[in-house]
Amino acid sequence: MTVAEAMARVRRERPGEATDSELRAWLQQLDGRFYREVVLRHEGYDTVEEPSYLTEADDGKTLLIPCPYDEVYMHHLYACVDMRLGEMDRYNNDAALFADGWRDACRAWKREHMPLASGITHVVYGKTPVSREEWI
């Protein structure tokens, strides 16, 4: 899904409720969070560009979370709009759907990309490191 596709869908389903700059900022916020919390902690991070969607020139960019998990963007944008309008019932529904979509998107990324090595294999205080067989 591209920035423009997400914005067009929100304009169609929640017309006149948010400006293009607000929609871009909310998409930037979500992809920035995904980039920092998920992408940078896994192998392949160096092939992913840090997201930036603040101008009209960025509308053709592809968002980080791929299909079929990209519905998370719509739930995030709907929740932002509904929160601002005070539509609490709609907001609560969108927030719950967003939370499910976020969890699924993060799990999918983690399944496909190995976590970065932390450099610490184990710590045993007062003893020398032992082999795996000695622990069992």
Side-chain angles (χ1 to χ4, degrees), residues 2-67:
T2 65
V3 173
E5 290 170 344
M7 289 174 30
R9 193 160 152 199
V10 171
R11 276 190 239 111
R12 185 175 61 246
E13 296 180 15
R14 303 276 203 285
E17 303 297 344
T19 65
D20 288 351
S21 62
E22 288 173 323
L23 295 173
R24 281 188 206 98
W26 290 331
L27 289 170
Q28 168 78 31
Q29 175 190 33
L30 183 59
D31 258 5
R33 178 182 172 196
F34 188 77
Y35 182 76
R36 286 185 307 279
E37 293 181 10
V38 181
V39 173
L40 289 180
R41 297 177 184 198
H42 292 81
E43 290 179 354
Y45 71 92
D46 50 349
T47 63
V48 179
E49 184 179 323
E50 185 170 0
S52 175
Y53 314 129
L54 300 177
T55 65
E56 284 185 36
D58 299 322
D59 288 355
K61 289 185 178 178
T62 302
L63 299 167
L64 288 181
I65 300 172
C67 184

Side-chain angles (χ1 to χ4, degrees), residues 62-135:
T62 302
L63 299 167
L64 288 181
I65 300 172
C67 184
Y69 308 102
D70 56 357
E71 272 304 296
V72 71
Y73 293 109
M74 303 317 303
H75 299 306
H76 175 66
L77 294 174
Y78 295 155
C80 290
V81 169
D82 293 338
M83 173 62 104
R84 190 175 59 180
L85 295 174
E87 297 278 350
M88 289 300 109
D89 289 338
R90 284 171 56 173
Y91 168 78
N92 287 332
N93 290 336
D94 292 329
L97 291 168
F98 167 77
D100 288 343
W102 176 260
R103 184 193 65 237
D104 293 345
C106 292
R107 286 180 179 171
W109 185 272
K110 292 173 184 179
R111 274 194 309 271
E112 296 170 11
H113 300 85
M114 291 294 295
L116 294 175
S118 66
I120 299 174
T121 56
H122 64 279
V123 176
V124 179
Y125 295 102
K127 290 188 166 187
T128 57
V130 295
S131 68
R132 183 180 185 324
E133 289 76 28
E134 291 175 304
W135 279 96

